[in-house]
Amino acid sequence: MVSPVLRLLVEAEGSYVSGQQMSRQLGMTRAAVWKKIAALRDKGFAVEAAPSRGYRLTGVPDLSPEYILLRAGDCLWKDLIFSEAVASTNESAMARCADSPQASGVVFLAEAQHRGRGRLGRSWVSPQGKSVLMSLLLRPGLAPKDASVLTLLAGVACAAAVRDISRLPAMIKWPNDILVEGRKLGGILTEVRSDPDRVLCAVVGIGINVTAEAGDFPAEIREQATSLLIETGVRWQRNELIVSILRSFEHWYGILGSEGKAPVFEAWRSLSATLGNPVRVAMPAETLVGNAEDIDENGMLRIRLDDGTSRTISAGDVTHLRPA
Ligand code: BTN
């Protein structure tokens, strides 16, 4: 799926690669190389051609699956499946999980979703072509009780990537809303298929608003939602954000495998907008108000109630009572 010519151009990191070198390395004629360059240009890549120097990559389209796969590395990420429109990338990834028992390290990426899923049974609405909409299919070999670490790990990867790309002070609201200045930039929905003692596959769904404008959000969330464009005035490339998320996710996933959950939770704490703050937690049967003290060894939120008792929450809708 990845153009070998694109691979050489990306590896050259903006330097020229001669047509002769490409044709030798790829075992194709100069004319065939030229055709591949033309095909890349048709896809929106800017490739400069200079007589006697060769070709160099000077621009990439905003969202290019093959560029992302090349830059994200192929240790954890084996394949990327791109669709213009799907019901939900989480739904596509869960279907693949059931159909292909070996599939792992597969990224599902879409321009639009018409049945996007959010946490707590909500829907996730995103304007076409203005967000990161992706789901990561993994087989982490975790016990079901440990699966929630993936959710927090994804929050760390997304907040770190947003900081890395845009320099915005992205924080995480428990368990994994990505916030900037108290407004929601993105969210994560992890779904798992498990045996009683083992997670068979995990799907980590990530939605981040990149170039959405206020009017793109439904009226009822307009006040709380934001995008990278709204916060910075810049149309950040989705490619670079996705590459950064995938790299950061792979980094923390490796640490989870080698050192366990503790370092991931420590990273999460350092990015948390929730800990140390007064919160209201709405759950189906009750609503609690207290101080968010910490997360426990399973990533659950521990809050101290006004009567001095403490409660551990596994799922709920958190509101920060002191603005960030
Ligand atoms: C939340 O409620 O905050 C979680 C939102 C998760 C949305 C993403 S968009 C890509 C993936 N596919 C889905 O249907 N949902 C997740």
Side-chain angles (χ1 to χ4, degrees), residues 173-201:
K173 183 177 87 163
W174 186 87
N176 52 11
D177 281 359
I178 308 302
L179 302 186
V180 173
E181 309 289 356
R183 298 210 287 167
K184 183 159 170 171
L185 182 76
I188 295 155
L189 174 68
T190 303
E191 299 181 73
V192 296
R193 188 182 298 264
S194 299
D195 270 350
D197 56 349
R198 199 169 60 96
V199 171
L200 298 176
C201 73

Short mmCIF file of all heavy atoms in Angstrom, two decimals, residues 173-201:
data_model
loop_
_atom_site.label_atom_id
_atom_site.label_comp_id
_atom_site.label_asym_id
_atom_site.label_seq_id
_atom_site.Cartn_x
_atom_site.Cartn_y
_atom_site.Cartn_z
N LYS A 173 -8.94 15.05 31.70
CA LYS A 173 -9.99 14.93 32.73
C LYS A 173 -10.29 13.45 32.87
O LYS A 173 -10.49 12.77 31.85
CB LYS A 173 -11.25 15.70 32.31
CG LYS A 173 -12.33 15.67 33.37
CD LYS A 173 -13.54 16.49 32.97
CE LYS A 173 -14.50 15.66 32.16
NZ LYS A 173 -15.85 16.23 32.07
N TRP A 174 -10.33 12.96 34.11
CA TRP A 174 -10.55 11.52 34.32
C TRP A 174 -11.83 11.04 33.66
O TRP A 174 -12.83 11.74 33.78
CB TRP A 174 -10.62 11.21 35.83
CG TRP A 174 -10.70 9.73 36.08
CD1 TRP A 174 -9.67 8.86 36.21
CD2 TRP A 174 -11.90 8.96 36.24
NE1 TRP A 174 -10.14 7.59 36.42
CE2 TRP A 174 -11.52 7.62 36.45
CE3 TRP A 174 -13.28 9.25 36.21
CZ2 TRP A 174 -12.44 6.59 36.63
CZ3 TRP A 174 -14.19 8.22 36.39
CH2 TRP A 174 -13.77 6.91 36.61
N PRO A 175 -11.82 9.91 32.96
CA PRO A 175 -10.63 9.09 32.76
C PRO A 175 -9.77 9.54 31.59
O PRO A 175 -8.57 9.36 31.64
CB PRO A 175 -11.22 7.70 32.50
CG PRO A 175 -12.56 7.96 31.89
CD PRO A 175 -13.06 9.26 32.49
N ASN A 176 -10.40 10.14 30.57
CA ASN A 176 -9.57 10.39 29.39
C ASN A 176 -10.12 11.44 28.43
O ASN A 176 -9.96 11.32 27.22
CB ASN A 176 -9.32 9.09 28.61
CG ASN A 176 -10.61 8.37 28.33
OD1 ASN A 176 -11.68 8.95 28.53
ND2 ASN A 176 -10.54 7.17 27.88
N ASP A 177 -10.76 12.46 28.95
CA ASP A 177 -11.12 13.58 28.07
C ASP A 177 -9.87 14.45 27.90
O ASP A 177 -9.20 14.77 28.89
CB ASP A 177 -12.19 14.46 28.73
CG ASP A 177 -13.57 13.88 28.60
OD1 ASP A 177 -13.70 12.80 27.99
OD2 ASP A 177 -14.51 14.50 29.12
N ILE A 178 -9.61 14.87 26.69
CA ILE A 178 -8.46 15.77 26.46
C ILE A 178 -9.00 17.20 26.52
O ILE A 178 -9.87 17.59 25.73
CB ILE A 178 -7.81 15.49 25.09
CG1 ILE A 178 -7.47 14.00 24.93
CG2 ILE A 178 -6.56 16.37 24.90
CD1 ILE A 178 -6.54 13.44 25.99
N LEU A 179 -8.48 17.95 27.47
CA LEU A 179 -8.96 19.32 27.70
C LEU A 179 -7.89 20.34 27.37
O LEU A 179 -6.70 20.10 27.58
CB LEU A 179 -9.32 19.54 29.18
CG LEU A 179 -10.35 18.66 29.86
CD1 LEU A 179 -10.62 19.20 31.27
CD2 LEU A 179 -11.65 18.59 29.07
N VAL A 180 -8.35 21.49 26.87
CA VAL A 180 -7.47 22.65 26.77
C VAL A 180 -8.21 23.80 27.41
O VAL A 180 -9.34 24.11 27.01
CB VAL A 180 -7.11 22.97 25.30
CG1 VAL A 180 -6.32 24.27 25.23
CG2 VAL A 180 -6.31 21.84 24.67
N GLU A 181 -7.59 24.40 28.42
CA GLU A 181 -8.22 25.50 29.17
C GLU A 181 -9.64 25.12 29.59
O GLU A 181 -10.57 25.92 29.46
CB GLU A 181 -8.27 26.79 28.31
CG GLU A 181 -6.96 27.21 27.69
CD GLU A 181 -5.94 27.74 28.70
OE1 GLU A 181 -6.28 27.85 29.89
OE2 GLU A 181 -4.80 28.02 28.27
N GLY A 182 -9.83 23.90 30.02
CA GLY A 182 -11.12 23.45 30.54
C GLY A 182 -12.12 23.04 29.48
O GLY A 182 -13.20 22.56 29.81
N ARG A 183 -11.80 23.22 28.20
CA ARG A 183 -12.76 22.82 27.16
C ARG A 183 -12.31 21.53 26.47
O ARG A 183 -11.11 21.24 26.38
CB ARG A 183 -12.94 23.95 26.14
CG ARG A 183 -13.51 25.19 26.83
CD ARG A 183 -14.35 26.02 25.92
NE ARG A 183 -13.58 26.74 24.94
CZ ARG A 183 -14.11 27.35 23.88
NH1 ARG A 183 -15.40 27.25 23.64
NH2 ARG A 183 -13.35 28.03 23.07
N LYS A 184 -13.29 20.77 25.96
CA LYS A 184 -12.97 19.43 25.48
C LYS A 184 -12.48 19.45 24.03
O LYS A 184 -13.21 19.83 23.12
CB LYS A 184 -14.20 18.53 25.63
CG LYS A 184 -13.94 17.09 25.22
CD LYS A 184 -14.96 16.15 25.84
CE LYS A 184 -14.85 14.76 25.25
NZ LYS A 184 -15.67 13.77 25.95
N LEU A 185 -11.25 19.00 23.87
CA LEU A 185 -10.63 18.93 22.54
C LEU A 185 -10.80 17.55 21.94
O LEU A 185 -10.85 17.38 20.72
CB LEU A 185 -9.13 19.23 22.69
CG LEU A 185 -8.29 19.25 21.44
CD1 LEU A 185 -8.54 20.54 20.66
CD2 LEU A 185 -6.81 19.14 21.77
N GLY A 186 -10.88 16.54 22.80
CA GLY A 186 -10.97 15.19 22.27
C GLY A 186 -11.41 14.21 23.34
O GLY A 186 -11.48 14.54 24.53
N GLY A 187 -11.73 13.00 22.88
CA GLY A 187 -12.16 11.96 23.81
C GLY A 187 -11.70 10.59 23.33
O GLY A 187 -11.30 10.43 22.18
N ILE A 188 -11.75 9.65 24.24
CA ILE A 188 -11.26 8.30 23.97
C ILE A 188 -12.30 7.30 24.45
O ILE A 188 -12.84 7.44 25.55
CB ILE A 188 -9.92 8.06 24.68
CG1 ILE A 188 -8.86 8.99 24.09
CG2 ILE A 188 -9.47 6.60 24.57
CD1 ILE A 188 -7.72 9.31 25.01
N LEU A 189 -12.59 6.32 23.62
CA LEU A 189 -13.51 5.26 24.00
C LEU A 189 -12.83 3.91 23.77
O LEU A 189 -12.54 3.56 22.63
CB LEU A 189 -14.79 5.34 23.16
CG LEU A 189 -15.78 4.19 23.36
CD1 LEU A 189 -16.39 4.24 24.76
CD2 LEU A 189 -16.87 4.22 22.30
N THR A 190 -12.58 3.19 24.87
CA THR A 190 -11.95 1.88 24.74
C THR A 190 -13.02 0.80 24.88
O THR A 190 -13.83 0.85 25.81
CB THR A 190 -10.88 1.69 25.84
OG1 THR A 190 -9.94 2.75 25.73
CG2 THR A 190 -10.15 0.36 25.70
N GLU A 191 -13.01 -0.13 23.95
CA GLU A 191 -13.95 -1.25 24.01
C GLU A 191 -13.13 -2.54 23.95
O GLU A 191 -12.15 -2.60 23.21
CB GLU A 191 -14.93 -1.20 22.85
CG GLU A 191 -15.76 0.08 22.86
CD GLU A 191 -16.78 0.14 21.72
OE1 GLU A 191 -17.78 -0.57 21.77
OE2 GLU A 191 -16.54 0.91 20.77
N VAL A 192 -13.52 -3.53 24.74
CA VAL A 192 -12.75 -4.78 24.74
C VAL A 192 -13.66 -5.98 24.53
O VAL A 192 -14.84 -5.95 24.85
CB VAL A 192 -11.94 -4.98 26.05
CG1 VAL A 192 -10.89 -3.92 26.23
CG2 VAL A 192 -12.85 -5.04 27.26
N ARG A 193 -13.05 -7.00 23.96
CA ARG A 193 -13.71 -8.31 23.90
C ARG A 193 -12.84 -9.23 24.76
O ARG A 193 -11.62 -9.30 24.54
CB ARG A 193 -13.73 -8.78 22.45
CG ARG A 193 -14.54 -10.03 22.20
CD ARG A 193 -14.43 -10.40 20.73
NE ARG A 193 -14.96 -9.37 19.86
CZ ARG A 193 -16.20 -9.37 19.36
NH1 ARG A 193 -17.02 -10.35 19.66
NH2 ARG A 193 -16.60 -8.41 18.56
N SER A 194 -13.46 -9.88 25.75
CA SER A 194 -12.64 -10.63 26.72
C SER A 194 -13.17 -12.03 26.96
O SER A 194 -14.38 -12.28 26.90
CB SER A 194 -12.64 -9.94 28.07
OG SER A 194 -12.10 -8.67 28.00
N ASP A 195 -12.27 -12.94 27.31
CA ASP A 195 -12.58 -14.20 27.98
C ASP A 195 -12.64 -13.86 29.47
O ASP A 195 -12.22 -12.77 29.86
CB ASP A 195 -11.42 -15.19 27.78
CG ASP A 195 -11.62 -16.02 26.52
OD1 ASP A 195 -12.72 -15.95 25.96
OD2 ASP A 195 -10.66 -16.71 26.14
N PRO A 196 -13.08 -14.82 30.32
CA PRO A 196 -13.10 -14.48 31.75
C PRO A 196 -11.73 -14.06 32.27
O PRO A 196 -11.63 -13.20 33.14
CB PRO A 196 -13.55 -15.79 32.41
CG PRO A 196 -14.32 -16.50 31.35
CD PRO A 196 -13.72 -16.11 30.03
N ASP A 197 -10.64 -14.62 31.74
CA ASP A 197 -9.34 -14.31 32.33
C ASP A 197 -8.40 -13.55 31.40
O ASP A 197 -7.24 -13.32 31.75
CB ASP A 197 -8.65 -15.60 32.81
CG ASP A 197 -8.51 -16.60 31.68
OD1 ASP A 197 -9.14 -16.36 30.61
OD2 ASP A 197 -7.78 -17.59 31.84
N ARG A 198 -8.86 -13.15 30.20
CA ARG A 198 -7.93 -12.53 29.27
C ARG A 198 -8.66 -11.61 28.29
O ARG A 198 -9.74 -11.97 27.80
CB ARG A 198 -7.21 -13.63 28.48
CG ARG A 198 -5.91 -13.19 27.82
CD ARG A 198 -5.17 -14.41 27.30
NE ARG A 198 -5.95 -15.14 26.30
CZ ARG A 198 -5.83 -14.98 24.99
NH1 ARG A 198 -4.94 -14.15 24.51
NH2 ARG A 198 -6.58 -15.67 24.15
N VAL A 199 -8.06 -10.47 28.02
CA VAL A 199 -8.62 -9.59 26.99
C VAL A 199 -8.24 -10.18 25.62
O VAL A 199 -7.06 -10.39 25.34
CB VAL A 199 -8.03 -8.16 27.12
CG1 VAL A 199 -8.41 -7.30 25.94
CG2 VAL A 199 -8.48 -7.53 28.43
N LEU A 200 -9.23 -10.47 24.80
CA LEU A 200 -8.94 -11.05 23.48
C LEU A 200 -8.51 -9.95 22.52
O LEU A 200 -7.58 -10.13 21.74
CB LEU A 200 -10.18 -11.76 22.92
CG LEU A 200 -10.66 -12.95 23.75
CD1 LEU A 200 -11.93 -13.52 23.17
CD2 LEU A 200 -9.56 -14.01 23.83
N CYS A 201 -9.22 -8.85 22.56
CA CYS A 201 -8.74 -7.70 21.79
C CYS A 201 -9.29 -6.43 22.40
O CYS A 201 -10.33 -6.43 23.06
CB CYS A 201 -9.06 -7.81 20.31
SG CYS A 201 -10.74 -7.55 19.94
#
